[in-house]
C-alpha cells in the first residue's frame, strides 16, 4: 500500500512538472548552452527581408511597365509648408504607379504580419483606374498569397518556440513594439517626368523599426534592378550584442576605407574635414551653406540627386560602383547626405538601417537619431544628415551647435522682448506725457520751496533735496528728448 501511494505521488508530481514544462524547458527559464533555439527577432527580420525582396520586385515590375508604356498619371496629394524652401511650399505628388505598388506591398505584408503596425506613404486604395493590368494583378495576388502563406508557416513554426531578446524561451512573439515603414515609390516627381536619365533615382523601400530604432531595411531600384538590404542579428551567446548582415559585405574594403580622404583644412579658424555632399535636386534650402556652418565638414563638391533611397545608398557605397575595380591609391572624399527641409520617415528608414549596419548614422540637425516608433510624428521638421564615417565627430558638432543655436535664439528672444518693452514705454509716455511732466515739475518746485524754507538747517536733507530735484529734471529731459528730440527749458520748469 505504501509503495503504491509513493508511486501515485511520483506520478502526480511528474504530471505537474509536465504541465509547466514544454519538452523539458521551463517557460521563462534561461536556456542551457547545450540547447539551441533560434532567436525570435533574427528569424522575424530574416523573413521580413525575404518577403520584402519578393514584394518590392513584384511591385517594381508593375512600376516599370506603367512607365515604359507611358501610362503614368500624375496628381497632387497636397502641399507641405516649409519655411526653408523658396516660396515656402513643397508639392506632394502621387501617380497611379504609387497606388498600385502600395497595394501590392500592403496586400502581401498584411498576409504575413496581420498584427504588425504598418505605416505607408500612401493609403490603401484598390487600383482600378482605367483597369490598369487588372488581369495581371489578379494573377499576382494569387502568387503573393501562395508565397506569403508558405513563408507564414515557416515563420510561425519558429516563433512557436524561440529565444526572445532576454535570452529566454518563449512561445509568443510580441509584435507591438515593431513598426514597418513603407515607401511604395520614392522619387515620384522624377518618375513622372518621362526622362530616362532620372528613373535611376526611383526606388521601393521597406523598413522595420523596433522600439523606435531601425533594425532592418531594404531598398530596391526597379530600373537598374539593384537591391540593397540590411538587418540586425543577435549574438548566439548574448542576445543583447548585435551584428549586422547586409549586401555590402562583398564590396572590397579597399574601395571604401583605405582611400577615404582624411585631410582637414583650416577654415574660419577651425580645422574641418573635406567632404562631398549629395542633396536634393528639388528641395534645396541652402543646405551646402548649413553643412559648412554647422558641422565639422567643409563641402568640396556638391551633387544634386533625387530620391532619399538613392542618396542613402550612395552614402553607403560612398559614391563608388562596387562592380568597378579601384587601385586603392587615389584618395576620395567622404560622401555625406544632408537635407535641411522637412522630410518623411518612410523616405529614410530603410537607408538608416543600411547605414547603421555599416557603423554609419542618420540624425536630425539637433544631433538626435530618428525615432521610428508607431506613435512618433511622420515628418521630420529639422531635416537630416546621414554619414557612413565620422559619425561621432558629426554628432559632437551637431550637439554643440544645437546648444549654441538655442542660446542664440534665447538672446534674440530677449532682445525682442526688450524692444517690445521699449516701444510700450514710449507709447505710454506719449499718451500720458502731459500728466507725467506736470507731476515732475510739481515735485521739482516743491523740493525747491522746501529747500528754501529750511536752508542751512539740515545740510544732509538739503543735499538730498537737490539730488531729487536733479533726478526729476533729468527724467523730464529724457522724456522730452524721446518724444520730441528737445530738452525742457529751465524757464518752463521754473
Amino acid at each position: 500500500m505504501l509503495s503504491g501511494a509513493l508511486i501515485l505521488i511520483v506520478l502526480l508530481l511528474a504530471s505537474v512538472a509536465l504541465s509547466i514544462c514544454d519538452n523539458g524547458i521551463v517557460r521563462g527559464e534561461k536556456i542551457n548552452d547545450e540547447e539551441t533555439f533560434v532567436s525570435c527577432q533574427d528569424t522575424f527580420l530574416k523573413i521580413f527581408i525575404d518577403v520584402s525582396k519578393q514584394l518590392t520586385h513584384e511591385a517594381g515590375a508593375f512600376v516599370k511597365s506603367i512607365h515604359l508604356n507611358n501610362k503614368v498619371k500624375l496628381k497632387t496629394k497636397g502641399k507641405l509648408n516649409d519655411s526653408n524652401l523658396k516660396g515656402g511650399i513643397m508639392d506632394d505628388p502621387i501617380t497611379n504607379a504609387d497606388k498600385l505598388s502600395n497595394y501590392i506591398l500592403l496586400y502581401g505584408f498584411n498576409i504575413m504580419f496581420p498584427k504588425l503596425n504598418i505605416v505607408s506613404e500612401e493609403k490603401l486604395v484598390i487600383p482600378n483606374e482605367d483597369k490598369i493590368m487588372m488581369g495581371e494583378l489578379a494573377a499576382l495576388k494569387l502568387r503573393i498569397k501562395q508565397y506569403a502563406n508558405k513563408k507564414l508557416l515557416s515563420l510561425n513554426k519558429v516563433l512557436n518556440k524561440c529565444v526572445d531578446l532576454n535570452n529566454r524561451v518563449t512561445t509568443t512573439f510580441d509584435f507591438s513594439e515593431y513598426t514597418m515603414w513603407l515607401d511604395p515609390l520614392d522619387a515620384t516627381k522624377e518618375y513622372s517626368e518621362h526622362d530616362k536619365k532620372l528613373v535611376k533615382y526611383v526606388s521601393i523601400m521597406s523598413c522595420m523599426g523596433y522600439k523606435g530604432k531601425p533594425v532592418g531595411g531594404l531598398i530596391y531600384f526597379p530600373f537598374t534592378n539593384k537591391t540593397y538590404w540590411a538587418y540586425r542579428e543577435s549574438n548566439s551567446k548574448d542576445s543583447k550584442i548585435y551584428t549586422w548582415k547586409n549586401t555590402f559585405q562583398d564590396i572590397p574594403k579597399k574601395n571604401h576605407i583605405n582611400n577615404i580622404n582624411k585631410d582637414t583644412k583650416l577654415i574660419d579658424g577651425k580645422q574641418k574635414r573635406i567632404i562631398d555632399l549629395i542633396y536634393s535636386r528639388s528641395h534645396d534650402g541652402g543646405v551646402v551653406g548649413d553643412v559648412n556652418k554647422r558641422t565639422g565638414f567643409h563641402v568640396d563638391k556638391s551633387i544634386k540627386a533625387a530620391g532619399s533611397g538613392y542618396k542613402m545608398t550612395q552614402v553607403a557605397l560612398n559614391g563608388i560602383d562596387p562592380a568597378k575595380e579601384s587601385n586603392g591609391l587615389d584618395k576620395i572624399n567622404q560622401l555625406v547626405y544632408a537635407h535641411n527641409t522637412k522630410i518623411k520617415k518612410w523616405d529614410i528608414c530603410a537607408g538608416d538601417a543600411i547605414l547603421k549596419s555599416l557603423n554609419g548614422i542618420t540624425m536630425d540637425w539637433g544631433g538626435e537619431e530618428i525615432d521610428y516608433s508607431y506613435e512618433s510624428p511622420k515628418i521630420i521638421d529639422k531635416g537630416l544628415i546621414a554619414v557612413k564615417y565620422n559619425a561621432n565627430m558629426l554628432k559632437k558638432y551637431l550637439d554643440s551647435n544645437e546648444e549654441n543655436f538655442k542660446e542664440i535664439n534665447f538672446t534674440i528672444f530677449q532682445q525682442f522682448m526688450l524692444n517690445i518693452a521699449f516701444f510700450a514705454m514710449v507709447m505710454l509716455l506719449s499718451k500720458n506725457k502731459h500728466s507725467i511732466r506736470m507731476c515732475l515739475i510739481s515735485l521739482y518746485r516743491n523740493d525747491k520751496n522746501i529747500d528754501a524754507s529750511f536752508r542751512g538747517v539740515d545740510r544732509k536733507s538739503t543735499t538730498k533735496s537737490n539730488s531729487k530735484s536733479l533726478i526729476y529734471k533729468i527724467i523730464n529731459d529724457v522724456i522730452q528728448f524721446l518724444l520730441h528730440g528737445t530738452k525742457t527749458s529751465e524757464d518752463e520748469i521754473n
Side-chain angles (χ1 to χ4, degrees):
M1 288 291 291
L2 183 61
S3 61
L6 286 172
I7 291 170
L8 183 61
I9 291 170
V10 170
L11 288 172
L12 285 171
L13 289 172
S15 64
V16 170
L18 286 171
S19 68
I20 63 173
C21 298
D22 191 11
N23 292 335
I25 298 174
V26 179
R27 189 78 63 237
E29 289 297 316
K30 286 196 172 184
I31 60 173
N32 298 322
D33 290 340
E34 305 83 37
E35 296 160 327
T36 55
F37 288 90
V38 179
S39 163
C40 305
Q41 187 179 86
D42 291 358
T43 303
F44 170 61
L45 291 177
K46 185 179 183 304
I47 289 180
F48 158 69
I49 293 296
D50 288 344
V51 175
S52 292
K53 288 178 187 176
Q54 181 73 20
L55 295 179
T56 56
H57 282 71
E58 297 282 15
F62 279 81
V63 167
K64 282 177 65 177
S65 179
I66 291 172
H67 189 273
L68 293 173
N69 291 309
N70 294 316
K71 292 184 178 181
V72 178
K73 294 188 176 182
L74 179 67
K75 292 182 180 179
T76 301
K77 290 183 287 185
K79 296 182 182 295
L80 189 65
N81 294 323
D82 196 320
S83 59
N84 286 333
L85 283 172
K86 188 176 180 180
I89 296 176
M90 181 192 308
D91 286 329
D92 197 5
I94 186 173
T95 67
N96 48 343
D98 291 75
K99 295 178 183 178
L100 182 58
S101 176
N102 184 62
Y103 180 79
I104 293 169
L105 295 179
L106 288 177
Y107 180 79
F109 281 126
N110 279 323
I111 294 174
M112 275 300 306
F113 312 112
K115 296 179 181 179
L116 188 67
N117 293 319
I118 300 177
V119 181
S120 178
E121 180 175 10
E122 313 302 344
K123 296 178 181 177
L124 180 57
V125 178
I126 298 175
N128 58 3
E129 298 176 14
D130 300 331
K131 301 189 180 298
I132 297 173
M133 310 173 190
M134 294 308 291
E136 293 179 47
L137 183 60
L140 173 61
K141 286 172 64 177
L142 180 61
R143 190 161 68 247
I144 289 174
K145 191 172 184 178
Q146 291 172 344
Y147 171 82
N149 282 331
K150 185 178 178 181
K151 278 288 184 182
L152 186 60
L153 286 173
S154 175
L155 177 64
N156 287 337
K157 184 178 180 181
V158 174
L159 295 185
N160 279 339
K161 180 174 282 188
C162 54
V163 179
D164 64 17
L165 294 177
N166 293 316
N167 215 29
R168 296 178 183 277
V169 176
T170 181
T171 58
T172 56
F173 184 69
D174 185 10
F175 286 92
S176 64
E177 293 181 315
Y178 291 86
T179 303
M180 185 187 297
W181 295 80
L182 299 176
D183 190 344
L185 203 159
D186 191 33
T188 298
K189 180 178 180 294
E190 286 68 26
Y191 176 77
S192 66
E193 290 180 11
H194 299 286
D195 186 338
K196 291 181 180 179
K197 294 180 180 179
L198 298 179
V199 292
K200 68 177 183 180
Y201 299 128
V202 175
S203 67
I204 301 170
M205 298 185 281
S206 63
C207 177
M208 189 66 68
Y210 174 68
K211 292 186 176 181
K213 304 294 182 184
V215 291
L218 180 142
I219 304 176
Y220 172 58
F221 295 91
F223 289 93
T224 57
N225 197 30
K226 291 182 179 178
T227 306
Y228 302 98
W229 54 264
Y231 70 91
R232 196 175 75 174
E233 193 173 58
S234 56
N235 186 283
S236 59
K237 295 294 182 182
D238 186 350
S239 60
K240 293 183 179 180
I241 298 175
Y242 304 108
T243 57
W244 286 83
K245 287 196 171 182
N246 58 44
T247 47
F248 298 86
Q249 288 162 346
D250 295 329
I251 298 172
K253 287 187 177 182
K254 66 179 181 180
N255 285 354
H256 292 271
I257 296 175
N258 295 338
N259 59 344
I260 292 295
N261 184 7
K262 296 180 180 179
D263 293 340
T264 60
K265 188 176 181 181
L266 185 65
I267 299 170
D268 297 329
K270 295 179 180 178
Q271 288 291 339
K272 294 198 170 187
R273 181 69 53 84
I274 306 302
I275 63 158
D276 292 339
L277 181 72
I278 189 167
Y279 65 103
S280 175
R281 68 185 289 267
S282 55
H283 303 142
D284 175 18
V287 69
V288 176
D290 278 351
V291 169
N292 288 335
K293 289 176 186 176
R294 298 180 61 185
T295 71
F297 299 132
H298 182 77
V299 178
D300 178 30
K301 183 172 67 175
S302 57
I303 307 159
K304 286 189 175 183
S308 297
Y310 178 85
K311 293 188 278 283
M312 296 287 256
T313 52
Q314 284 298 297
V315 172
L317 291 164
N318 209 64
I320 300 171
D321 185 346
K324 293 181 180 179
E325 287 296 327
S326 169
N327 57 22
L329 298 176
D330 297 330
K331 285 186 177 181
I332 58 172
N333 293 330
Q334 174 187 354
L335 187 63
V336 174
Y337 169 35
H339 190 97
N340 66 344
T341 61
K342 292 180 179 179
I343 191 167
K344 296 163 185 174
K345 290 182 179 178
W346 45 72
D347 289 326
I348 62 166
C349 184
D352 194 350
I354 288 171
L355 283 176
K356 268 189 169 48
S357 75
L358 299 166
N359 297 317
I361 196 168
T362 304
M363 297 178 289
D364 64 23
W365 285 85
E368 297 292 330
E369 295 190 48
I370 312 303
D371 178 13
Y372 298 101
S373 55
Y374 185 69
E375 299 82 9
S376 66
K378 308 302 181 283
I379 296 174
I380 305 166
D381 290 325
K382 292 185 178 181
L384 65 90
I385 302 181
V387 299
K388 180 180 177 182
Y389 310 111
N390 303 306
N392 292 332
M393 183 193 79
L394 175 62
K395 185 169 177 58
K396 176 185 174 182
Y397 269 93
L398 290 178
D399 284 342
S400 61
N401 277 304
E402 182 71 3
E403 290 302 316
N404 293 336
F405 185 68
K406 287 176 182 177
E407 288 176 12
I408 291 168
N409 275 353
F410 185 66
T411 304
I412 292 171
F413 177 74
Q414 283 180 317
Q415 186 64 45
F416 177 71
M417 294 305 295
L418 284 172
N419 289 340
I420 289 177
F422 174 77
F423 284 113
M425 182 185 73
V426 170
M427 292 298 293
L428 181 66
L429 291 174
S430 179
K431 187 175 181 181
N432 302 285
K433 61 183 178 182
H434 183 70
S435 300
I436 294 170
R437 291 187 66 242
M438 288 301 101
C439 178
L440 288 169
I441 291 169
S442 175
L443 290 169
Y444 177 78
R445 285 173 176 167
N446 287 339
D447 274 357
K448 288 192 74 174
N449 292 336
I450 292 168
D451 183 37
S453 302
F454 296 94
R455 193 179 302 275
V457 175
D458 187 347
R459 186 179 296 271
K460 289 184 179 180
S461 64
T462 302
T463 305
K464 186 177 180 181
S465 177
N466 287 336
S467 299
K468 286 174 65 179
S469 298
L470 182 61
I471 290 169
Y472 298 148
K473 187 174 185 304
I474 290 171
I475 293 173
N476 185 71
D477 286 344
V478 170
I479 292 169
Q480 281 296 103
F481 181 77
L482 289 173
L483 297 177
H484 304 293
T486 60
K487 293 201 303 181
T488 307
S489 66
E490 184 73 23
D491 293 338
E492 186 179 358
I493 296 177
N494 292 330

